[in-house]
PDB file of all heavy atoms in Angstrom:
ATOM      1  N   THR F  36     -34.173  -9.098   3.205  1.00 76.00           N
ATOM      2  CA  THR F  36     -34.663 -10.485   3.158  1.00 76.00           C
ATOM      3  C   THR F  36     -34.448 -11.074   1.769  1.00 76.00           C
ATOM      4  O   THR F  36     -34.056 -12.243   1.636  1.00 76.00           O
ATOM      5  CB  THR F  36     -36.158 -10.546   3.513  1.00 76.00           C
ATOM      6  OG1 THR F  36     -36.826  -9.506   2.813  1.00 76.00           O
ATOM      7  CG2 THR F  36     -36.370 -10.396   5.012  1.00 76.00           C
ATOM      8  N   ALA F  59     -25.194   8.163   9.088  1.00 83.00           N
ATOM      9  CA  ALA F  59     -23.872   8.714   9.435  1.00 83.00           C
ATOM     10  C   ALA F  59     -23.642   9.992   8.651  1.00 83.00           C
ATOM     11  O   ALA F  59     -24.246  10.178   7.593  1.00 83.00           O
ATOM     12  CB  ALA F  59     -22.784   7.682   9.115  1.00 83.00           C
ATOM     13  N   TYR F  88      14.872  16.658  -6.701  1.00 92.00           N
ATOM     14  CA  TYR F  88      15.743  17.490  -7.535  1.00 92.00           C
ATOM     15  C   TYR F  88      17.158  17.537  -6.955  1.00 92.00           C
ATOM     16  O   TYR F  88      18.145  17.341  -7.672  1.00 92.00           O
ATOM     17  CB  TYR F  88      15.127  18.894  -7.627  1.00 92.00           C
ATOM     18  CG  TYR F  88      15.940  19.894  -8.390  1.00 92.00           C
ATOM     19  CD1 TYR F  88      16.385  19.614  -9.674  1.00 92.00           C
ATOM     20  CD2 TYR F  88      16.249  21.129  -7.828  1.00 92.00           C
ATOM     21  CE1 TYR F  88      17.123  20.547 -10.386  1.00 92.00           C
ATOM     22  CE2 TYR F  88      16.984  22.062  -8.542  1.00 92.00           C
ATOM     23  CZ  TYR F  88      17.421  21.766  -9.812  1.00 92.00           C
ATOM     24  OH  TYR F  88      18.149  22.691 -10.507  1.00 92.00           O
ATOM     25  N   SER F 125       0.763  13.944  19.030  1.00 92.00           N
ATOM     26  CA  SER F 125       0.167  14.540  20.217  1.00 92.00           C
ATOM     27  C   SER F 125       0.965  15.754  20.675  1.00 92.00           C
ATOM     28  O   SER F 125       0.409  16.800  20.991  1.00 92.00           O
ATOM     29  CB  SER F 125       0.089  13.471  21.315  1.00 92.00           C
ATOM     30  OG  SER F 125       0.070  14.062  22.575  1.00 92.00           O
ATOM     31  N   ALA F 138       0.328  14.149   7.734  1.00 92.00           N
ATOM     32  CA  ALA F 138       1.726  14.554   7.915  1.00 92.00           C
ATOM     33  C   ALA F 138       2.752  13.415   7.799  1.00 92.00           C
ATOM     34  O   ALA F 138       3.764  13.587   7.120  1.00 92.00           O
ATOM     35  CB  ALA F 138       1.877  15.287   9.247  1.00 92.00           C
ATOM     36  N   SER F 143       7.345  11.365   1.435  1.00 89.00           N
ATOM     37  CA  SER F 143       7.314   9.966   1.007  1.00 89.00           C
ATOM     38  C   SER F 143       8.626   9.571   0.346  1.00 89.00           C
ATOM     39  O   SER F 143       9.048  10.180  -0.636  1.00 89.00           O
ATOM     40  CB  SER F 143       6.150   9.791   0.036  1.00 89.00           C
ATOM     41  OG  SER F 143       6.419   8.762  -0.865  1.00 89.00           O
ATOM     42  N   PHE F 203      -6.454   3.310   6.451  1.00 93.00           N
ATOM     43  CA  PHE F 203      -7.379   3.121   7.563  1.00 93.00           C
ATOM     44  C   PHE F 203      -6.733   3.191   8.955  1.00 93.00           C
ATOM     45  O   PHE F 203      -7.183   3.948   9.812  1.00 93.00           O
ATOM     46  CB  PHE F 203      -8.097   1.768   7.404  1.00 93.00           C
ATOM     47  CG  PHE F 203      -8.922   1.373   8.597  1.00 93.00           C
ATOM     48  CD1 PHE F 203     -10.104   2.041   8.881  1.00 93.00           C
ATOM     49  CD2 PHE F 203      -8.518   0.352   9.440  1.00 93.00           C
ATOM     50  CE1 PHE F 203     -10.870   1.707   9.980  1.00 93.00           C
ATOM     51  CE2 PHE F 203      -9.274   0.013  10.540  1.00 93.00           C
ATOM     52  CZ  PHE F 203     -10.455   0.683  10.813  1.00 93.00           C
ATOM     53  N   PRO F 206      -5.401   6.763  10.300  1.00 94.00           N
ATOM     54  CA  PRO F 206      -6.547   7.664  10.522  1.00 94.00           C
ATOM     55  C   PRO F 206      -7.426   7.215  11.696  1.00 94.00           C
ATOM     56  O   PRO F 206      -7.915   8.058  12.458  1.00 94.00           O
ATOM     57  CB  PRO F 206      -7.337   7.578   9.208  1.00 94.00           C
ATOM     58  CG  PRO F 206      -6.362   7.138   8.195  1.00 94.00           C
ATOM     59  CD  PRO F 206      -5.320   6.334   8.892  1.00 94.00           C
ATOM     60  N   VAL F 209      -5.567   8.402  14.895  1.00 93.00           N
ATOM     61  CA  VAL F 209      -5.389   9.841  15.112  1.00 93.00           C
ATOM     62  C   VAL F 209      -6.708  10.578  15.318  1.00 93.00           C
ATOM     63  O   VAL F 209      -6.776  11.538  16.068  1.00 93.00           O
ATOM     64  CB  VAL F 209      -4.624  10.459  13.917  1.00 93.00           C
ATOM     65  CG1 VAL F 209      -4.598  11.960  14.005  1.00 93.00           C
ATOM     66  CG2 VAL F 209      -3.215   9.932  13.914  1.00 93.00           C
ATOM     67  N   THR F 219     -13.037   5.818   5.291  1.00 91.00           N
ATOM     68  CA  THR F 219     -12.775   4.435   5.714  1.00 91.00           C
ATOM     69  C   THR F 219     -13.101   4.241   7.184  1.00 91.00           C
ATOM     70  O   THR F 219     -13.722   3.241   7.559  1.00 91.00           O
ATOM     71  CB  THR F 219     -11.301   4.062   5.476  1.00 91.00           C
ATOM     72  OG1 THR F 219     -10.486   5.132   5.940  1.00 91.00           O
ATOM     73  CG2 THR F 219     -11.021   3.783   4.025  1.00 91.00           C
TER      74      THR F 219
END
Side-chain angles (χ1 to χ4, degrees):
Chain F
T36 45
Y88 177 53
S125 155
S143 151
F203 171 71
V209 172
T219 45

